[in-house]
């Protein structure tokens, strides 16, 4: 799924030009020094102490960034086994903030920040915000949850760092969001892409006059989305959208973000080393090919993880970018190793179904995938919302639409799925991350 753009969407500006445009040799030198210090700093964390001892690892053996490959991986399961704060690398007194990942079941996994960590984090968010058009005179509305989730607070302090104004609206209450947008003349929207889609819908229904809003840009993160969805949101809200990426285990938002050319997200490689690996063999995949992203947080004090396996699937691009940033870029996240559905032996990502739906006129990108295995064969049903203007009493035209969707889904995934058309707005809406799959198989 190539993100490509030949013209800049905004003027090319930098928050920290020297860091963002560092020469490759200089970056490698910095990474080596930081990696060596990191190995020293985590040597007393029990998990790493044991692994280092078993593998004979010491800081002295780090002579280039390539030596990263000698270090052990860290997984979500390792975080759970060392719950709540087994990976803490500083004393509890030095911690001034805790966040947690949005676990769907059971307990969250916690992360921690020192004052220096929070300052560094804000600076990293400021980098991608400025790259994506944020200026000190803008008014930003944060419609992310403020809580254990890193999205709200991460962006909040990034925007403060730039010096723009913040409306901390937090998630939900869509009518109120629109009221704030109109009355305070919000120019920049911060939320998940699925919530932006919902906002656009409510805006259209409520008959709110778009010309009364000052909205110009949006920065989306927190969940994977497609380029087609970007087009849809840009058309519906008449704004320019930028994509950013991060996860709490690595730091939160600020790991990477798009520049004016929007041709992949620049990874802040002076703070995070990235690897793109085959999730089965854990060997590197060539640039441009999808693999699991693995990050090492070089500079975090409180909770630095080494080679954290994100389970996010994306590609890496190291070709030069017209913006002048020298860092590697990552593609959109096209799936997760644990979101990956194996249907009749074929690997399928929910994002592929979304991609297919966006190709069919008359459907909304609101859908629910249900998987059953009544006998020995998997059966997949996709519920798809039809646009109200395309709802028809004629059986034949609905039948045609259903077949068209099934054909597109088959073209993208290689799987035959049963399509059910449902009324507009009958599927659940999400203010945070969307849940698009119900797997009823007893696997
Ligand atoms: Zn760029």
């Amino acid at each position: 799924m190539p993100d490509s753009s030949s013209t800049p969407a905004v003027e090319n500006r930098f928050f920290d030009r020297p860091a963002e445009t560092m020469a490759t040799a200089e970056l490698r030198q910095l990474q080596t020094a930081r990696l060596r210090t990191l190995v020293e700093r985590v040597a007393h964390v029990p998990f790493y102490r044991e692994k280092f001892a078993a593998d004979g690892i010491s800081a002295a053996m780090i002579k280039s960034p390539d030596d990263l490959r000698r270090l052990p991986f860290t997984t979500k399961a390792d975080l759970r086994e060392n719950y709540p704060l087994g990976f803490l690398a500083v004393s509890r007194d030095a911690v001034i903030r805790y966040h947690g990942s949005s676990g769907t079941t059971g307990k969250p996994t916690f992360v921690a920040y020192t004052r220096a960590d929070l300052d560094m984090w804000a600076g990293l968010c400021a980098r991608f915000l400025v790259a994506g058009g944020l200026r000190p005179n803008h008014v930003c509305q944060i419609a992310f949850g403020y809580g254990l989730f890193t999205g709200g607070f991460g962006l909040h302090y990034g925007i403060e760092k730039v010096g723009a104004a913040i409306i901390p609206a937090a998630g939900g209450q869509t009518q109120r969001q629109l009221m704030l947008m109109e009355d305070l003349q919000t120019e920049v929207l911060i939320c998940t892409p699925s919530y932006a889609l919902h906002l656009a819908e409510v805006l259209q229904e409520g008959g709110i006059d778009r010309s009364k809003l000052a909205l110009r840009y949006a920065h989306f993160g927190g969940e994977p989305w497609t380029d087609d969805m970007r087009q849809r949101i840009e058309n519906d809200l008449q704004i320019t959208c930028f994509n950013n990426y991060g996860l709490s285990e690595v730091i939160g938002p600020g790991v990477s973000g798009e520049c004016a050319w929007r041709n992949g997200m620049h990874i802040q490689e002076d703070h995070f080393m990235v690897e793109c690996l085959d999730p089965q063999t854990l060997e590197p995949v060539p640039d441009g090919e999808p693999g699991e992203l693995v990050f090492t947080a070089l500079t975090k004090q409180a909770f630095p993880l080494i080679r954290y396996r994100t389970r996010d699937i994306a590609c890496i691009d190291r070709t030069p970018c017209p913006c002048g940033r020298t860092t590697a870029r990552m593609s959109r996240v096209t799936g997760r190793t644990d979101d990956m559905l194996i249907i009749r032996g074929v690997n399928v990502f929910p994002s592929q179904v979304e991609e297919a739906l966006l190709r069919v006129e008359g459907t909304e990108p609101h859908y629910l995938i249900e998987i059953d295995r009544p006998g020995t064969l998997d059966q997949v049903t996709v519920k798809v919302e039809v646009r109200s203007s395309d709802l028809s009493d004629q059986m034949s035209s609905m039948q045609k639409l259903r077949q068209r969707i099934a054909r597109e889904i088959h073209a993208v995934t290689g799987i035959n799925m049963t399509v059910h058309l449902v009324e507009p707005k009958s599927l659940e809406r999400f203010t945070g991350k969307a849940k698009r799959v119900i797997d009823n198989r007893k696997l």
Side-chain angles (χ1 to χ4, degrees):
M1 215 176 306
D3 291 322
S4 63
S5 180
S6 53
T7 51
V10 286
E11 193 195 334
N12 185 30
R13 291 224 200 144
F14 296 86
F15 179 76
D16 186 351
R17 186 191 286 262
E20 294 174 73
T21 61
M22 200 181 290
T24 306
E26 197 189 332
L27 177 64
R28 283 178 63 87
Q29 227 169 35
L30 181 69
Q31 285 181 331
T32 307
R34 287 183 166 175
L35 186 59
R36 200 180 297 133
T37 314
L38 174 65
V39 169
E40 266 165 23
R41 280 193 288 115
V42 300
H44 67 278
V45 173
F47 176 85
Y48 292 120
R49 188 177 58 218
E50 281 167 33
K51 297 256 179 188
F52 288 0
D55 298 340
I57 289 162
S58 68
M61 65 171 39
I62 306 292
K63 301 212 160 50
S64 90
D66 308 327
D67 291 321
L68 176 66
R69 295 205 58 204
R70 304 166 73 163
L71 303 181
F73 289 103
T74 313
T75 64
K76 188 84 170 174
D78 296 328
L79 295 183
R80 291 198 193 290
E81 274 164 35
N82 292 278
Y83 182 87
L85 295 167
F87 278 90
L88 197 63
V90 296
S91 77
R92 292 281 304 256
D93 293 349
V95 174
I96 65 165
R97 177 95 63 80
Y98 294 101
H99 278 287
S101 72
S102 46
T104 44
T105 52
K107 294 186 174 187
T109 48
F110 294 117
V111 291
Y113 304 79
T114 64
R115 188 171 298 282
D117 289 339
L118 289 184
D119 190 55
M120 183 260 290
W121 185 19
L124 295 180
C125 288
R127 285 189 195 175
F128 77 72
L129 286 164
V130 169
L134 185 67
R135 305 291 176 257
N137 60 314
H138 283 158
V139 177
C140 308
Q141 187 161 329
I142 300 181
F144 264 145
Y146 278 75
L148 279 180
F149 170 61
T150 46
F153 283 101
L155 271 293
H156 184 101
Y157 289 101
I159 295 166
E160 263 193 15
K161 198 90 164 165
V162 177
I166 299 167
I167 307 167
Q173 300 193 49
T174 307
Q175 292 294 347
R176 188 167 144 273
Q177 300 276 1
L178 292 169
M179 184 261 299
L180 291 169
M181 263 178 213
E182 186 175 340
D183 294 353
L184 295 175
Q185 291 290 285
T186 304
E187 291 159 291
V188 183
L189 173 66
I190 312 277
C191 60
T192 57
S194 54
Y195 189 59
L197 211 55
H198 178 56
L199 266 170
E201 214 171 62
V202 176
L203 181 87
Q204 277 161 358
E205 274 167 23
I208 294 170
D209 184 359
R210 175 62 182 82
S211 68
K212 288 191 176 146
L213 302 184
L215 217 52
R216 296 170 64 191
Y217 306 113
H219 288 272
F220 297 141
E223 65 183 11
W225 53 311
T226 58
D227 230 16
D228 293 325
M229 194 157 156
R230 162 143 54 195
Q231 289 262 293
R232 173 80 61 104
I233 296 170
E234 292 198 335
N235 289 340
D236 289 357
L237 286 177
Q238 297 161 49
I239 54 175
T240 306
C241 304
F242 293 89
N243 195 9
N244 66 79
Y245 170 85
L247 63 170
S248 65
E249 294 86 348
V250 179
I251 195 162
V255 174
S256 68
E258 286 178 327
C259 68
W261 275 262
R262 303 192 295 175
N263 54 1
M265 293 178 276
H266 285 279
I267 299 166
Q268 321 262 23
E269 286 187 288
D270 49 338
H271 293 274
F272 309 106
M273 286 179 73
V274 63
E275 298 168 89
C276 189
L277 307 178
D278 180 311
Q280 252 77 53
T281 65
L282 298 177
E283 289 298 315
V285 299
D287 287 353
E289 282 183 26
E292 179 181 349
L293 296 178
V294 174
F295 286 102
T296 297
L298 292 170
T299 51
K300 258 167 61 186
Q301 295 178 339
F303 214 84
L305 299 183
I306 290 178
R307 303 189 85 190
Y308 182 69
R309 292 188 58 186
T310 63
R311 301 182 288 186
D312 286 334
I313 304 285
C315 309
I316 298 292
D317 183 355
R318 292 178 207 272
T319 60
C321 183
C323 73
R325 286 175 183 81
T326 45
T327 47
R329 282 163 288 151
M330 57 179 270
S331 68
R332 292 168 177 286
V333 170
T334 52
R336 283 177 59 77
T337 56
D338 50 358
D339 269 359
M340 189 174 80
L341 302 164
I342 303 179
I343 297 169
R344 291 173 219 150
V346 178
N347 298 348
V348 178
F349 292 102
S351 58
Q352 291 178 297
V353 171
E354 183 172 314
E355 191 188 326
L357 291 181
L358 283 156
R359 290 183 192 173
V360 182
E361 191 60 33
T363 65
E364 293 287 351
H366 295 288
Y367 62 96
L368 183 70
I369 303 168
E370 278 188 49
I371 312 162
D372 289 283
R373 187 178 285 174
T376 52
L377 210 59
D378 297 330
Q379 286 184 2
V380 191
T381 308
V382 186
K383 290 182 178 162
V384 184
E385 283 187 13
V386 186
R387 230 179 267 171
S388 47
S389 54
D390 290 275
L391 260 184
S392 166
D393 290 335
Q394 276 188 303
M395 284 298 283
S396 61
S397 64
M398 295 318 271
Q399 174 73 7
K400 267 187 203 138
L401 181 59
R402 219 165 46 223
Q403 287 169 345
R404 171 90 209 282
I405 295 168
R407 262 203 315 276
E408 285 295 342
I409 291 175
H410 185 266
V412 177
T413 64
I415 300 274
N416 284 315
M417 301 188 189
T418 308
V419 175
H420 282 182
L421 301 179
V422 299
E423 297 271 319
K425 308 196 181 41
S426 58
L427 297 176
E428 194 182 342
R429 295 296 189 265
F430 303 92
T431 55
K433 294 183 192 205
K435 183 168 165 43
R436 308 283 196 200
V437 179
I438 297 175
D439 194 341
N440 298 315
R441 295 175 296 183
K442 305 275 175 282
L443 297 178

